[in-house]
Amino acid sequence: MAKIAFIGLGNMGGPMAANLIAAGHEVTGFDLAPASIDEARKAGAAIAGSAAEAVRTAEIVVSMLPAGKHVLGVWRDIAAAAPKGALFIDSSTIDVDSARAAHEIARAAGHKSVDAPVSGGTGGAKAATLTFMCGGADEAFAAARPVLEKMGKKIVHCGGPGAGQAAKICNNMILGATMAATAEAFVLAEKLGLSHQALYDVSSTSSGQSWSLTTYCPVPGPVPTSPANNGYKPGFAAALMLKDLLLSQQAASAAGAATPMGAVATQLYALFNAAGHAGDDFSGIVNFLRGQSKA
Ligand code: NAD
């Protein structure tokens, strides 16, 4: 079993660290928030006084932080403090350029590194059923896989440094666009006198089918486990959907890719967030679109 330092013990990092402890790893954690520290301590983590202290004897370092600037700040702080040859894994969702810069920080200090963002949300983090999308050298990925398997059920090597983040934002750009399109179809169906169930029965088995429809159906009824049946409690919060869409547009602009559907989805989610729904599940956009329709 390995000595693992875990930096960022929030809604995702906390339960992920708990799963590493449950698997028998020796986890030393660090976070800036006292509430996150308390939870991690209860789960059996040792708590360090700083990120640099947490990594001092670590064979593996995992970070799960809000954005690229946090990851780069922390990795710069800890790169020299960790034993040479350690494996650095960042599971935060961050921009591709920052992910590549983080790999460079690790490489320059003599460490292996993997960008390994996740999908599956807080439920997947607790149940250890996350999907990890990984970028990095073969050797680094091979070393990361057994650790990631304790926190997730699907581990995919997407390519070199930054490829995990690239896969994550491409996937979530599809998700944002398909959810908006699915929600629009339900609003149109209402106007045309077509029942939610009838549209679901047809589209779920024909060419309109998608995860947004069959797993996260934005109206109550057809999929009993979707957030629509639970007051649109997340699930996957609209604020995080907007974050990922903005990352996709930043990457598209930097890479020169035309992503007009992604751009419109980004605008829709920006309006939905600004209307006070940042904490709602992202499928709640159906109510926002209904509100924009003629009475
Ligand atoms: P969170 O805000 O609950 O947790 C982030 C933690 O990082 C906080 O506890 C914060 O105190 C800590 N932190 C910030 N700066 C720090 C620093 N310099 N040193 C140490 N700790 C620091 O966020 P979360 O929901 O756990 O998300 C973490 C990452 O996972 C984000 O990049 C997010 O986009 C991604 N993600 C989240 C979900 C989800 O459903 N919540 C799903 C997939 C991916």
Side-chain angles (χ1 to χ4, degrees):
M1 287 299 137
K3 286 188 175 180
I4 301 179
F6 208 113
I7 318 294
L9 301 161
N11 292 326
M12 295 292 290
M16 289 165 72
N19 284 326
L20 292 175
I21 295 164
H25 291 296
E26 199 182 306
V27 174
T28 302
F30 176 70
D31 195 292
L32 298 175
S36 301
I37 290 173
D38 287 350
E39 281 299 311
R41 195 178 269 124
K42 271 189 224 150
I47 300 299
S50 68
E53 187 190 318
V55 305
R56 204 146 287 147
T57 59
E59 296 154 83
I60 298 168
V61 176
V62 184
S63 55
M64 192 52 168
L65 296 160
K69 63 179 181 195
H70 306 98
V71 175
L72 291 178
V74 167
W75 280 36
R76 280 190 195 107
D77 276 357
I78 63 179
K84 247 198 177 46
L87 169 65
F88 276 48
I89 301 172
D90 179 51
S91 283
S92 327
T93 302
I94 66 173
D95 59 286
V96 176
D97 286 348
S98 294
R100 290 184 178 142
H103 277 280
E104 187 47 35
I105 291 168
R107 193 202 59 75
H111 306 308
K112 297 185 278 292
S113 56
V114 175
D115 54 292
V118 301
S119 90
T122 51
K126 284 187 192 118
T129 55
L130 293 168
T131 294
F132 285 90
M133 297 152 253
C134 303
D138 289 348
E139 186 204 352
F141 175 72
R145 184 194 272 281
V147 184
L148 300 179
E149 279 171 349
K150 301 298 180 204
M151 300 183 282
K153 72 171 188 322
K154 186 154 195 211
I155 323 293
V156 185
H157 191 192
C158 300
Q165 296 294 350
K168 167 85 185 172
I169 56 169
C170 288
N171 179 73
N172 280 18
M173 189 174 77
I174 297 173
L175 178 64
T178 56
M179 180 55 84
T182 304
E184 281 181 6
F186 276 106
V187 171
L188 176 60
E190 289 165 7
K191 291 282 186 202
L192 300 176
L194 178 66
S195 74
H196 291 164
Q197 192 63 50
L199 175 59
Y200 181 85
D201 289 346
V202 171
S203 288
S204 64
T205 54
S206 64
S207 45
Q209 193 273 340
S210 73
W211 188 93
S212 293
L213 178 68
T214 57
T215 301
Y216 254 52
C217 184
V219 293
V223 178
T225 50
S226 81
N229 300 281
N230 188 27
Y232 296 94
K233 287 204 195 84
F236 186 51
L240 289 174
M241 183 78 256
L242 178 58
K243 173 190 169 180
D244 293 358
L245 284 168
L246 287 167
L247 289 175
S248 77
Q249 294 312 288
Q250 190 184 330
S253 161
T259 58
M261 299 286 286
V264 172
T266 307
Q267 283 177 10
L268 283 172
Y269 276 98
L271 290 169
F272 185 51
N273 274 261
H277 298 289
D280 292 357
D281 187 75
F282 81 117
S283 61
I285 196 140
V286 69
N287 300 319
F288 179 74
L289 292 169
R290 193 184 290 115
Q292 302 300 307
S293 302
K294 280 191 189 147

